[in-house]
């Protein structure tokens, strides 16, 4: 048998973290850890009820698939026997006659097809015998595997009250193995997924070789294209069952065993479905000395609604279908033969034992629970809404599960809502800041644009002014390539420069070394290197005398020069004036000393020179 996978597991590819499995699990067997992306089923805590499988809408909860195992058995040398649960009646409503269903199983490759209701009859008789000899001890039926696991794991103190009898599936397999020999492969087909685990408990998984749910059987029918219309009718193989066909009903086994069921004389209480079962176990544990009844428990609302069936609704229609099927089967039954079969097979040993496996987690200390309550925003009891949205009956129970490490606060609806509101507020603030930043960006872009326009117009203005200056201006880079020059500079340099300027306006990119002699451009090199200005130096250039001032603009990278042609009429007069002023400035002290020594004569010299300057200035103005 396939032992590798746990009975139920979560397919992480399909899981959408809705946590519906966590909420529905009645024993907190599914943990949600902050560090894990998806919930995980803790196999040791799981009771195999299948509620998570039924409840998960993205179908992320999966169960151990036995189809390949069954296909291998069907194609092997071994004879194969199908053991079929009477729950076929409420499941295969699309097949018109149960004999067609048997024919389809034979078409799939089964050599024998047996009904499990005979096993029910055998076990029902065992129960009737057990309760008749109970002598004040009260039993809980052990036919439903999740009920057995629930008691072994969460009510171990009730293990001694579990009826020590195998289930009908096991009883039927024992009969079939006796009939055909140990080598026949027995495959149980039914509504219960946890039968797959139950099968492992007997003879190392060799009593029931495999278990197919109705879901898997339908898939095999589809795979091998087996349909009702393609097969002949076929009858089950004997021994046939009697009222065991009622087994899918919660009280079916009680009825099959002929145990009294009326309120006043019955000594068996039947409880089915999660809520009833939990209440029943609680009451059994506490008040059995008052109740004085045996408990017949099924985790589902009877096996007519098992998790391995295709659908899980229409409870009352299902009841009717079970009843009709049982009446039909019982109507066809040879009672005398059944009696003989019962006598023969009831000699088998149907006893079993149990394995208490306490999975209860001690209740966390009150401080730890209060701490969780505080985290989920239930600071005082008024805020404990007990809305049940988390899947727990009260906020306190949920907080306790979180404190046990089996749940996370995010499963609480109000906690999430509060977090969501905080998140929305944060989002709102972020959006506001974003809008402010956007506006600031727009403003600064507009400012930058305005500044750029201003800089451009300043640059244009400067360019125009430079162009109009009578003084030559040139700006060069550290390779002495011209970055800018004005018309006066071009005029000073002469015809060669004018020809170049016709092609390259402003001589941009021209090499200063090709336009000026070494002694001049070397001065530019000096300024660039030393980052020192050279002020007002006179150089002979061709037939002219140039006065040049060079100054650094960007250290070691760019420098500019102001060049005046001292022989040009515009500069000449101004230059004489400047030079005389300079002479007077420089010699003023000396002149004053001489004046002191020579008397008024020296100051007359100064006056004379000053008058030359003034008259020159006037001449320039009137010209
Ligand atoms: S099968 Fe049942 S017990 Fe196991 S995890 Fe699912 S809901 Fe819980
Ligand atoms: S009630 Fe039946 S189908 Fe449901 S878990 Fe129990 S045995 Fe399985």
């Amino acid at each position: 048998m396939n032992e590798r996978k746990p009975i139920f597991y979560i397919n992480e590819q399909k899981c959408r973290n809705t946590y519906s499995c966590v909420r529905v699990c009645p024993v907190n067997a599914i943990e949600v850890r902050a560090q894990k992306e998806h919930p995980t089923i803790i196999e040791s805590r799981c009771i195999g009820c299948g509620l998570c499988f039924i409840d998960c809408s993205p179908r992320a909860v999966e169960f151990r698939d036995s189809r390949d195992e069954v296909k291998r058995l069907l194609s092997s040398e071994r004879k194969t026997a199908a053991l079929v649960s009477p729950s076929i009646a409420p499941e295969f409503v699309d097949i018109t006659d149960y004999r067609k269903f048997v024919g389809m199983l034979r078409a799939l490759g089964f050599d024998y097809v047996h009904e499990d209701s005979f096993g029910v009859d055998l076990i029902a008789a065992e129960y009737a015998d057990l309760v008749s000899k109970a002598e004040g001890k009260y039993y809980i039926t052990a036919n439903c595997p999740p009920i057995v696991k629930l008691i072994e794991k969460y009510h171990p103190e009730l293990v001694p009250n579990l009826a020590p009898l195998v289930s009908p599936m096991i009883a039927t397999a024992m009969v079939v193995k006796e009939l055909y020999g140990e080598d026949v492969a027995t495959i149980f087909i039914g509504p219960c997924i946890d039968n797959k685990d139950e099968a492992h408990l007997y003879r190392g998984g060799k009593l029931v070789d495999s278990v197919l749910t109705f879901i898997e059987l339908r898939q095999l029918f589809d795979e091998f294209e087996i349909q009702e219309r393609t097969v002949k009718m076929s009858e089950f193989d004997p021994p046939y069952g009697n009222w065991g066909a009622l087994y899918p009903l919660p009280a079916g086994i009680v009825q099959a065993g002929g145990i009294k069921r009326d309120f006043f004389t019955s000594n068996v209480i039947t409880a089915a479905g999660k809520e009833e079962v939990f209440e029943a176990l609680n009451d059994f544990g506490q008040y059995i000395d008052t109740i004085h009844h045996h408990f017949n428990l099924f985790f589902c609302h009877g096996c007519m609604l098992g998790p391995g069936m295709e659908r899980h609704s229409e409870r009352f229609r299902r009841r009717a279908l079970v009843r009709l099927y049982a009446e039909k089967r019982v109507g066809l039954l040879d009672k005398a033969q059944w009696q003989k079969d019962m006598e023969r097979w009831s000699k088998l040993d149907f006893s079993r034992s149990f394995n208490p496996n306490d999975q209860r987690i001690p209740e966390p200390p009150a401080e730890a629970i209060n701490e969780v309550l505080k985290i989920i925003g239930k600071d005082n009891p008024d805020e404990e809404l007990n809305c049940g949205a988390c899947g727990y009956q009260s906020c306190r129970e949920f907080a306790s599960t979180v404190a046990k490490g089996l749940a996370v606060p995010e499963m609480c609806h109000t906690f999430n809502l509060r977090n969501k509101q905080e998140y929305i507020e944060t989002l709102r603030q972020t959006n506001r800041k974003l809008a402010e930043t956007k506006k600031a960006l727009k403003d600064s872009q507009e400012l930058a644009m305005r500044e750029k326009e201003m800089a451009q117009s300043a640059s244009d203005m400067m360019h125009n002014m430079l162009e109009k200056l009578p003084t030559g201006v040139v700006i060069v880079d550290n390779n002495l390539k011209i970055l800018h020059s004005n018309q006066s500079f071009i005029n000073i340099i002469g015809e060669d420069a004018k020809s170049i300027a016709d092609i390259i306006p402003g001589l941009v990119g021209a090499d200063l070394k090709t336009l000026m002699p070494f002694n001049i451009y070397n001065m530019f090199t000096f300024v660039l290197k030393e980052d020192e200005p050279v002020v007002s130096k006179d150089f002979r250039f061709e037939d002219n005398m140039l006065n040049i001032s060079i100054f650094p603009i960007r250290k070691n990278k760019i420098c500019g020069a102001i060049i005046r042609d001292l022989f040009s009429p515009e500069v000449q007069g101004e230059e004489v004036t400047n030079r005389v002023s300079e002479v007077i400035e420089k010699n003023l002290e000396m002149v004053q000393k001489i004046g002191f020594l020579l008397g008024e004569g020296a100051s007359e010299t100064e006056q004379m020179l000053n008058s030359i300057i003034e008259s020159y200035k006037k001449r320039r103005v009137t010209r």
Side-chain angles (χ1 to χ4, degrees), residues 8 21 24-27 29-30 41 45-53:
F8 288 102
C21 56
V24 82
C25 180
V27 290
I30 305 178
I41 296 178
R45 293 183 59 79
C46 173
I47 59 169
C49 68
L51 289 179
C52 53
F53 169 74

Side-chain angles (χ1 to χ4, degrees), residues 21-33:
C21 56
V22 183
R23 283 191 279 274
V24 82
C25 180
V27 290
N28 297 338
I30 305 178
E31 66 174 355
V32 180
R33 294 228 179 252

